[in-house]
Amino acid sequence: MDASAIISSLNDAQRLAVSAPDRATLVLAGAGSGKTRVLVHRIVWHILINHIQPHNILAVTFTNKAATEMRNRIESLLNISTRSMWIGTFHGLAHRLLRQHSKLAKLPETFQVMDSDDQLRIIKRLLKNLNIDDTKWPPKQLQWFINSQKEEGRRARHMESNGDIYYRQMLAVYQAYEELCNRSGLVDFAELLLRAHETLRDNEELLNFYRSRFQQVHVDEFQDTNTIQYAWLRLLTEGKDNLFVVGDDDQCIYGWRGAKIENIFNFQKHYPGHQVIRLEQNYRSTGHILRAANTLIANNEGRMGKELWTDAGEGQPLSLYTAFNEQDEAHFVVEKIRLWAREGGLRSDTAILYRSNAQSRQFEERLMTTATPYRVYGGLRFFERMEIKNALAYLRLMNNQHDDASFERIVNTPTRGIGAKTLDNMRSLAREQQLSLWRASQFMLEQKQLSARAASALQSFLSLIQKLGQDSTDLPLHEKVKFVIEASALLDLYKKEKQDKGETRVENLEELVNAARLFDYQNNNDDEENLSELDMFLAHATLEAGENQGEAEEDCVQLMTIHSAKGLEFKLVFMVGMEDGLFPSQQALDDVGRLQEERRLCYVGITRAMQQLYLSHAESRRLYGKDSYPRPSRFIREIPEDLLQEIRMRANISRPLSTSPNQSQKISNNSAYRLGQTVRHAKFGEGVVLQTEGEGAEEKVQINFRNEGIKWLMLAYAKLEKA
Ligand code: ATP
Ligand code: MG
């Protein structure tokens, strides 16, 4: 590509930013104005015009998905490989730094990253060990306390132990928690950032190496950096003129995780020679969508103030749907998407955005019943979940018996009666003789140093690992994974675990098989490094935080929280669950600061839509096992009425009607059933038809059974007899 093309597809303000001379630069602009595009073109500019090597460039984005997209865009613009360029999230890059310099970071080489579930579990265990009353010091609160200290760069030892007993106790737990993590080589998410910062700060040589390596540093979504992330950036760039950040104060949505809008002001203070560039044209959305977003966000105070305009035309009005419950909402949304697809639209251009992960279930069910392909993003980092890490540890150990981290991880998962003493002896033997744990245990068995029970438990573990390897040699990758999950008894372990937790873990294991299947498929012909397919898959699992795992080739509807939709765009967007108490959340209803953050979140959601935006709310909702009758979200009321078009409830989806015997009209034109018609079901007995929904094979019927109450049934399966 020739240089002029980097510039020709930009407007003047964007060009100014892309070609700016080296100087700390802040691009401050609203949603859809091309900030990310500017960032990508700026990198391309450096490579093409300033002849900077990809190796000398650092780019930080907010999600792995965004990082991959950025990499792809740069590669397609330049037609070169950008493998040596550091592009990633703060967490991903910090992780990379710690892995490469684990010694300087004072971490064991095999340190494990734990997700917030694992972290919470450890805190709970700690409270028990320390005999601390977990009603006075709830584990979640402690977790929040610990993480926020780390996000501010504070270690327990830096903090003064005065204040009330409540505070002192929290501090004591923080300290004990740090000790435990250090002892066992565990690193939580906040620790990744803090430790990476400390490692650079305290090792001058290392810092100088990276300061000169990263000649140009770029940050997307700068408004959401927290204290420690910003400190990290400063270490690398302060006193130089190579920091280029883009952001939008109206899209700061991670305040609850320590993000600081103030960093935008701090930037202006810490980089005195900086320049600010504003972009005002929006290229993403239609006029109606943009006006809705602008009007909504105008209700916030203390904004830096930005104007956005578009020449894309008004487009269609926004649609508002009032569902009678959450199932009806899901039904409505999925029908609209299916219509879109039938008319030739891509499913991947559609997104269902919700406030909290728990809301996805209804939509997933509906998408499944209608056989509509979909993909759920976000939630916890997939490959970092405990059950996934356990399954991967089996695969790793099977692949390399001397992988001590994996050995440690699963030697007693599921429990097989290998005692702490046996393990301790094994560890000292391994340390003294410089053996892997695997060799050490073989040695102990040969020397008959163990009790009969311990020996047999250990022997059966070693045999199991060997047998897993032998029996799966000829299987394709995904079957190998499946085989190992089953034969290791991990699957059974989680099946027995109580409640949703176990269920989710089982689902995740199934998803791992799926990820392996898709990986297998995408990498069939990729033989460039001399690695087995399993090797490649395992490396992929370590390096990817998992947002992209198993991304199907198939055309899928996109489901995610509004938080994880940041930076993305879709032609057709559904913002669902627009209800007071859900969005804005209950806590935000009586806290102005939080309400403003929720409003920014709503602004982010609205501005994801390119062509069409649907808002929906339900009159009754069951969530977290409770029924509620919420009011429509105040955010709906903040959107000018003339931009909103109300969609009526469909006649055949309504609240149950009273069933008077002389009503004999058909419920809907295409249903074979009448309102109030008496029917008989093999299991539920006799009842009367209240309403039907859907058509053909998907027709459902709601019946009030004399003895069983009201039920919805799929007509095709219900085998009803007309009485
Ligand atoms: P957000 O705040 O949501 O992250 P953004 O400011 O990063 O948004 P981009 O995602 O970079 O915006 O751009 C929004 C859309 O507008 C993209 O589809 C992008 O390709 C397009 N776009 C940006 N600038 C131009 C331009 N000069 N000409 C044509 N399309 C453009
Ligand atoms: Mg962006």
Side-chain angles (χ1 to χ4, degrees):
M1 159 180 167
D2 72 291
S4 63
I6 322 175
I7 286 299
S8 59
S9 60
L10 301 173
N11 65 33
D12 281 349
Q14 293 173 330
R15 287 176 190 167
L16 199 70
V18 166
S19 61
D22 280 355
R23 204 168 135 189
T25 302
L26 163 66
V27 178
L28 183 66
S33 59
K35 294 183 297 299
T36 304
R37 186 180 178 112
V38 161
L39 202 73
V40 167
H41 284 236
R42 172 77 172 170
I43 293 172
V44 171
W45 174 272
H46 278 315
I47 295 174
L48 216 57
I49 307 294
N50 297 336
H51 305 294
I52 293 178
Q53 297 300 313
H55 170 80
N56 294 119
I57 288 177
L58 173 66
V60 192
T61 65
F62 219 76
T63 60
N64 289 287
K65 191 171 158 60
T68 315
E69 243 167 60
M70 186 171 285
R71 195 181 282 284
N72 292 341
R73 276 164 77 180
I74 296 170
E75 290 195 345
S76 74
L77 281 168
L78 278 173
N79 225 344
I80 60 162
S81 161
T82 58
R83 268 197 167 180
S84 62
M85 193 163 125
W86 280 38
I87 306 186
T89 61
F90 278 107
H91 287 99
L93 296 171
H95 180 240
R96 188 161 169 183
L97 193 97
L98 295 178
R99 284 270 175 232
Q100 286 181 8
H101 308 285
S102 54
K103 222 191 222 117
L104 290 178
K106 302 196 185 78
L107 284 170
E109 212 169 293
T110 52
F111 76 84
Q112 289 289 323
V113 183
M114 57 178 168
D115 57 32
S116 55
D117 269 16
D118 292 343
Q119 186 188 29
L120 190 63
R121 199 161 317 117
I122 287 196
I123 294 174
K124 284 183 184 157
R125 210 172 67 205
L126 207 58
L127 291 183
K128 215 170 257 160
N129 292 345
L130 296 174
N131 257 327
I132 294 176
D133 182 352
D134 64 4
T135 54
K136 285 211 192 92
W137 287 272
K140 279 229 150 125
Q141 200 127 1
L142 281 160
Q143 181 179 32
W144 179 84
F145 176 79
I146 291 172
N147 290 339
S148 11
Q149 300 312 322
K150 290 190 180 190
E151 275 149 14
E152 291 298 317
R154 284 193 292 266
R155 294 284 181 196
R157 63 175 179 279
H158 299 151
M159 298 165 63
E160 279 189 44
S161 172
N162 47 24
D164 56 12
I165 160 93
Y166 180 71
Y167 177 81
R168 290 205 307 272
Q169 189 70 281
M170 296 219 283
L171 197 55
V173 175
Y174 181 19
Q175 180 131 27
Y177 171 82
E178 281 192 300
E179 281 160 15
L180 189 146
C181 291
N182 282 335
R183 257 200 325 276
S184 25
L186 290 172
V187 172
D188 60 50
F189 288 156
E191 182 71 27
L192 282 173
L193 302 173
L194 177 56
R195 185 73 66 128
H197 178 255
E198 291 171 344
T199 308
L200 283 179
R201 186 195 59 194
D202 301 341
N203 294 282
E204 208 183 334
E205 217 174 309
L206 189 71
L207 178 61
N208 286 335
F209 169 77
Y210 280 109
R211 275 176 67 97
S212 55
R213 168 170 179 170
F214 296 133
Q215 294 174 19
Q216 296 294 340
V217 178
H218 309 82
V219 186
D220 200 357
E221 311 275 5
F222 181 67
Q223 75 282 353
D224 273 323
T225 49
N226 64 28
T227 302
I228 198 76
Q229 291 165 337
Y230 179 59
W232 196 77
L233 290 172
R234 274 180 74 191
L235 271 183
L236 288 171
T237 61
E238 202 162 19
K240 297 167 80 180
D241 45 21
N242 62 345
L243 180 59
F244 188 95
V245 305
V246 308
D248 176 5
D249 56 309
D250 288 331
Q251 294 187 67
C252 178
I253 54 176
Y254 281 94
W256 55 283
R257 240 202 236 162
K260 294 261 153 46
I261 305 193
E262 293 90 331
N263 283 342
I264 298 186
F265 299 107
N266 291 335
F267 172 92
Q268 309 196 27
K269 206 166 64 206
H270 293 134
Y271 295 87
H274 74 276
Q275 62 187 333
V276 179
I277 296 174
R278 290 172 182 268
L279 312 175
E280 292 182 339
Q281 182 168 2
N282 172 295
Y283 289 92
R284 179 179 293 148
S285 311
T286 62
H288 279 127
I289 294 170
L290 198 60
R291 189 142 64 87
N294 283 341
T295 320
L296 176 103
I297 198 66
N299 291 299
N300 268 11
E301 282 164 13
R303 301 172 57 221
M304 297 181 132
K306 285 173 292 0
E307 287 303 319
L308 273 185
W309 58 275
T310 174
D311 62 11
E314 292 293 42
Q316 302 186 34
L318 283 60
S319 304
L320 175 66
Y321 180 68
T322 303
F324 75 83
N325 62 17
E326 73 279 4
Q327 280 149 349
D328 177 33
E329 183 182 43
H331 188 281
F332 170 79
V333 168
V334 173
E335 281 317 299
K336 284 287 169 208
I337 292 177
R338 295 179 51 179
L339 183 67
W340 167 270
R342 270 203 299 279
E343 289 174 350
L346 281 177
R347 282 185 288 266
S348 56
D349 281 333
T350 69
I352 305 175
L353 306 182
Y354 34 79
R355 176 67 183 85
S356 85
N357 276 310
Q359 286 168 261
S360 75
R361 189 137 216 115
Q362 291 300 332
F363 296 94
E364 291 189 61
E365 270 166 21
R366 192 65 212 157
L367 287 159
M368 262 183 301
T369 12
T370 54
T372 314
Y374 70 92
R375 172 118 223 118
V376 185
Y377 289 88
L380 277 173
R381 291 155 206 248
F382 182 74
F383 284 117
E384 285 166 358
R385 288 169 164 273
M386 181 184 78
E387 62 277 18
I388 300 299
K389 284 189 289 188
N390 287 342
L392 291 171
Y394 271 97
L395 289 160
R396 288 210 166 92
L397 197 60
M398 177 182 113
N399 213 24
N400 165 20
Q401 294 168 343
H402 308 300
D403 179 340
D404 282 355
S406 300
F407 189 102
E408 285 270 10
R409 190 164 184 101
I410 52 171
V411 61
N412 251 335
T413 309
T415 40
R416 38 177 79 84
I418 300 175
K421 207 166 137 260
T422 309
L423 286 172
D424 274 344
N425 291 342
M426 191 191 300
R427 285 187 203 109
S428 3
L429 179 66
R431 210 168 30 239
E432 285 157 21
Q433 308 279 324
Q434 304 273 315
L435 302 172
S436 67
L437 292 171
W438 181 275
R439 278 254 187 289
S441 37
Q442 281 179 325
F443 191 76
M444 285 166 81
L445 286 168
E446 283 160 18
Q447 301 293 308
K448 306 220 180 331
Q449 291 178 356
L450 297 166
S451 72
R453 236 187 96 222
S456 113
L458 192 57
Q459 183 58 59
S460 66
F461 174 63
L462 299 189
S463 311
L464 170 69
I465 300 296
Q466 277 165 335
K467 196 168 147 38
L468 288 180
Q470 282 153 14
D471 293 359
S472 67
T473 320
D474 297 328
L475 297 177
L477 180 62
H478 70 277
E479 284 182 29
K480 209 173 261 186
V481 175
K482 184 163 188 276
F483 174 77
V484 167
I485 290 171
E486 284 167 6
S488 63
L490 274 184
L491 198 63
D492 285 341
L493 174 72
Y494 297 126
K495 276 189 179 155
K496 275 186 261 160
E497 207 171 283
K498 276 192 210 79
Q499 296 162 341
D500 291 357
K501 193 99 216 181
E503 205 175 294
T504 318
R505 295 203 195 279
V506 169
E507 283 169 12
N508 285 334
L509 287 177
E510 283 160 4
E511 189 53 35
L512 182 67
V513 177
N514 199 28
R517 180 182 297 123
L518 294 165
F519 183 78
D520 186 344
Y521 172 63
Q522 286 161 359
N523 290 274
N524 246 344
N525 304 317
D526 192 328
D527 223 348
E528 59 182 84
E529 285 176 64
N530 202 8
L531 291 171
S532 76
E533 214 175 9
L534 180 58
D535 284 326
M536 279 168 54
F537 180 64
L538 290 173
H540 163 80
T542 326
L543 296 173
E544 284 288 316
E547 289 153 43
N548 303 312
Q549 52 79 30
E551 187 152 5
E553 301 267 287
E554 209 176 358
D555 177 30
C556 289
V557 179
Q558 316 280 302
L559 273 73
M560 66 195 87
T561 61
I562 307 176
H563 278 101
S564 33
K566 198 163 78 140
L568 307 179
E569 58 190 19
F570 309 91
K571 289 187 178 152
L572 174 60
V573 168
F574 297 86
M575 285 175 76
V576 300
M578 298 290 295
E579 293 144 29
D580 276 351
L582 189 55
F583 190 31
S585 71
Q586 194 58 45
Q587 298 95 310
L589 286 173
D590 18 67
D591 176 334
V592 183
R594 284 195 181 196
L595 184 63
Q596 298 211 30
E597 178 150 320
E598 294 281 298
R599 193 177 281 115
R600 290 193 292 268
L601 189 59
C602 188
Y603 173 79
V604 168
I606 294 175
T607 53
R608 297 313 96 197
M610 301 165 81
Q611 298 175 358
Q612 221 180 338
L613 177 63
Y614 283 88
L615 308 174
S616 61
H617 65 100
E619 290 178 333
S620 85
R621 176 176 301 277
R622 199 173 172 80
L623 192 68
Y624 306 118
K626 271 198 307 221
D627 284 315
S628 62
Y629 301 89
R631 276 158 39 99
S633 169
R634 70 173 56 204
F635 296 147
I636 294 178
R637 298 193 296 276
E638 291 178 8
I639 295 172
E641 250 172 67
D642 64 305
L643 300 179
L644 276 177
Q645 182 180 52
E646 273 208 62
I647 298 178
R648 295 280 191 77
M649 277 201 264
R650 290 188 310 178
N652 60 343
I653 311 180
S654 59
R655 293 199 170 279
L657 303 164
S658 65
T659 54
S660 83
N662 51 12
Q663 275 180 295
S664 66
Q665 74 271 36
K666 277 189 182 177
I667 292 173
S668 73
N669 290 338
N670 29 32
S671 175
Y673 289 86
R674 272 183 295 110
L675 182 67
Q677 182 167 14
T678 307
V679 290
R680 182 187 302 281
H681 182 272
K683 186 154 156 235
F684 304 132
E686 211 172 80
V688 291
V689 172
L690 299 180
Q691 53 177 334
T692 68
E693 185 187 295
E695 286 166 28
E698 280 171 40
E699 189 174 6
K700 291 202 301 185
V701 53
Q702 191 183 38
I703 299 169
N704 186 0
F705 288 105
R706 197 169 291 164
N707 299 321
E708 302 282 333
I710 294 180
K711 286 188 191 302
W712 274 106
L713 302 174
M714 292 296 288
L715 204 51
Y717 302 110
K719 303 230 169 60
L720 295 177
E721 269 174 41
K722 295 186 184 174

